[in-house]
């Protein structure tokens, strides 16, 4: 079972690249982030024509998450995180597919800092950690996949000093990621590739892609029951270099 996460940076703008990638790699499940599309304008017909059912939680112009499943419809469990009924951001959706519970996550960026955006990032992360604890208690295979907007360690960025002042690398952001991991979640990509460059994002600016000046912020976190089935992981890096591509590359795991 191949499960991928892909921040498309605008599903309507990247639809040709998304459909192309689906046809070439045929993942069984895909978590999408940053749809930048309302629920009404989500391109369901195009996704179904590509062979995938979908559930989505859209928002006009920014945010937005979805889960696609090849040849079937994901069974939605939840949209939005518990803990803040007034939160209007579309950043989380959860569904069951073939016996695996999957959450698609678009964690807040948090810039600029200090300020309300960084505070919101940390508060949202706290809510995610609380919900993740409940998912772990189910003792079933769970995958929390998405754009976490956190660079976990200095090994996950091309040049730590270049990002030192960014919300993605602040001690508080990293501490929250460690708290999530400490519950019992496994970072799939670093399990497969413990050391060395393994980027998932390259900025459109500063010639970042040609210089390979990237970092890793797209993560697939596995419950112990999912780790028992873990077989492989990787990044479809070449898709970042295609015409009108997202600034993220699809990142994936395989579960037996």
């Amino acid at each position: 079972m191949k499960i991928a996460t892909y921040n498309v940076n605008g599903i309507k703008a990247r639809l040709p690249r998304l459909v192309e990638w689906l046809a070439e790699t045929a993942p069984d499940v895909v978590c999408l982030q940053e749809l930048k599309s309302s629920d009404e304008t989500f391109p369901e017909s195009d996704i179904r024509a590509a062979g995938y059912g979908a559930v989505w939680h859209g928002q006009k112009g920014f945010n937005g998450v979805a889960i696609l499943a090849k040849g079937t419809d994901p069974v939605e469990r939840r949209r939005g995180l518990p803990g803040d009924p007034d939160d209007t951001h579309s950043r989380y959706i959860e569904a069951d597919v073939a016996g695996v519970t999957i959450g698609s996550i678009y964690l807040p960026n948090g810039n600029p800092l200090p300020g309300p955006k960084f505070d919101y990032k940390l508060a949202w992360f706290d809510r995610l950690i609380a919900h993740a604890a409940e998912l772990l208690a189910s003792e079933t295979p769970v995958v929390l996949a998405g754009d976490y907007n956190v660079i976990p360690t200095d090994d996950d960025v091309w040049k730590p000093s270049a990002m030192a002042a960014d919300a993605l690398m602040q001690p508080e952001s990293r501490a929250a990621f460690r708290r999530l991991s400490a519950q019992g979640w496994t970072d799939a990509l670093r399990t497969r590739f413990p050391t060395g460059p393994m980027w998932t994002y390259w900025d459109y600016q500063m010639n970042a892609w040609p210089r390979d000046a990237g970092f890793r912020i797209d993560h697939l976190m596995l419950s112990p029951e999912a780790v028992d089935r873990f077989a492989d992981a990787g990044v479809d890096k070449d898709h970042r270099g295609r015409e009108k591509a997202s600034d993220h590359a699809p990142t994936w795991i395989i579960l037996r």
Side-chain angles (χ1 to χ4, degrees):
M1 185 179 187
K2 186 174 186 178
I3 302 171
T5 182
Y6 193 4
N7 180 320
V8 291
N9 192 11
I11 192 167
K12 287 179 280 188
R14 315 295 172 201
L15 189 59
R17 295 286 77 81
L18 173 61
V19 171
E20 177 182 74
W21 171 73
L22 291 173
E24 291 180 12
T25 65
D28 298 290
V29 182
V30 183
C31 296
L32 300 178
Q33 301 88 37
E34 209 170 352
L35 302 177
K36 299 180 181 178
S37 167
S38 67
D39 283 339
E40 295 74 21
T41 58
F42 181 84
E44 181 182 11
S45 60
D46 297 279
I47 298 300
R48 289 201 176 276
Y52 287 79
V55 293
W56 61 93
H57 184 23
Q59 188 169 349
K60 184 178 180 181
F62 61 108
N63 300 330
V65 287
I67 298 173
L68 317 184
K70 185 171 65 175
T72 189
D73 289 321
V75 179
E76 183 176 327
R77 291 168 51 100
R78 162 175 290 280
R79 57 178 54 209
L81 280 176
D84 184 359
D86 297 324
D87 189 0
T88 59
H89 288 203
S90 299
R91 295 184 175 274
Y92 185 82
I93 192 165
E94 182 180 297
D96 287 333
V97 183
V100 180
T101 296
I102 297 164
S104 181
I105 293 166
Y106 181 41
L107 207 134
N109 177 282
N111 286 300
L113 64 98
K117 290 188 176 182
F118 190 60
D119 295 342
Y120 175 68
K121 177 191 187 84
L122 298 180
W124 201 95
F125 217 143
D126 286 342
R127 289 163 55 207
L128 174 63
I129 291 168
H131 182 58
E134 296 181 1
L135 292 173
L136 276 180
S138 70
E139 298 185 349
T140 59
V142 183
V143 178
L144 295 178
D147 177 359
Y148 281 69
N149 269 315
V150 176
I151 299 170
T153 73
D154 286 357
D155 289 339
D156 296 308
V157 58
W158 92 101
K159 186 179 180 182
S161 61
M163 296 293 293
D166 196 280
L168 279 61
M169 262 185 61
Q170 293 310 295
E172 299 92 335
S173 304
R174 288 179 164 184
F177 191 85
R178 288 195 301 271
R179 289 203 312 275
L180 178 69
S181 299
Q183 286 183 334
W185 298 92
T186 295
D187 183 339
L189 205 59
R190 277 304 180 203
T191 298
R192 175 66 178 83
F193 303 97
T195 60
M198 185 53 58
W199 316 146
T200 66
Y201 172 90
W202 297 258
D203 199 289
Y204 289 130
Q205 302 178 33
M206 301 177 292
N207 212 31
W209 170 249
R211 294 190 298 117
D212 197 28
F215 44 83
R216 189 174 75 99
I217 55 175
D218 302 275
H219 310 300
L220 295 106
M221 304 297 286
L222 312 184
S223 71
E225 293 76 16
V227 173
D228 288 343
R229 297 170 52 180
F230 178 67
D232 200 5
V235 179
D236 291 337
K237 182 177 177 179
D238 69 292
H239 282 266
R240 170 61 180 85
R242 301 191 182 187
E243 185 179 2
K244 296 182 179 179
S246 171
D247 42 9
H248 295 250
T251 306
W252 52 267
I253 60 168
I254 293 177
L255 302 182
R256 289 184 293 270

